[in-house]
Amino acid sequence: MNILVLKSSGNKKGSSNILADEFIRGAQEAGHSIREYDVIRKDIRPCIGCNVCGMNGPCVQKDDYETELKGLIRDMDMIVFVMPVYYYNWPAQLKAVVDRFYSFTGELTFMHKKTALLTVAWDNADSAFDVVKLYYRTICDYMQFQDQGMVIGKGCGTPGMTRNTGYPEEAYRLGKSLK
């Protein structure tokens, strides 16, 4: 399977990327091909709601989403959303990617992509992830994505804290388990 790992942390060696690296290691050991894409370091503009694309055409914005990422999404069997939680929600850069799905919703919906969510927060409360998980599940339902699993890293405020939890191993096992 071809897997696209969408990273969205400003910290290249941060907690969410620790989970991503372990997921990738497991998925590669299981024989899958991985493509990493760091959305925070790309020119990806938010959807402006102009509807020129009609949900099935090119976007009027000629940024890295339209010229690179959209094609990668088409070519991959699975999308992995990797993120730190910012103020109890998705980082703006990754949310912009999902909003831009609008430009090919019809096509993308019928691809039945597999997906996974890897996320971390400093907070230990389950409620810190409520909005993140709800949005992920809603997008999966709407886009007819097939959720393969989530790793919800509570209490992962620093890389050291994250390494001392079971979440990296959980991410590894998720990657390794993919069929």
Side-chain angles (χ1 to χ4, degrees), residues 5 7 19-29 34 36 171 175:
V5 177
K7 294 181 174 183
L19 297 189
D21 291 345
E22 288 302 304
F23 172 88
I24 290 166
R25 185 170 67 89
Q28 287 176 328
E29 287 179 12
I34 304 295
E36 296 178 59

Side-chain angles (χ1 to χ4, degrees), residues 14-67:
S15 294
S16 63
N17 286 337
I18 290 170
L19 297 189
D21 291 345
E22 288 302 304
F23 172 88
I24 290 166
R25 185 170 67 89
Q28 287 176 328
E29 287 179 12
H32 303 291
S33 175
I34 304 295
R35 174 70 188 264
E36 296 178 59
Y37 196 90
D38 192 346
V39 301
I40 202 163
R41 289 169 178 76
K42 296 292 186 170
D43 175 25
I44 298 176
R45 299 176 204 139
C47 178
I48 58 174
C50 67
N51 203 33
V52 170
C53 66
M55 296 177 75
N56 195 32
C59 179
V60 297
Q61 301 189 82
K62 301 305 177 214
D63 59 1
D64 292 336
Y65 182 87
E66 189 64 22
T67 61

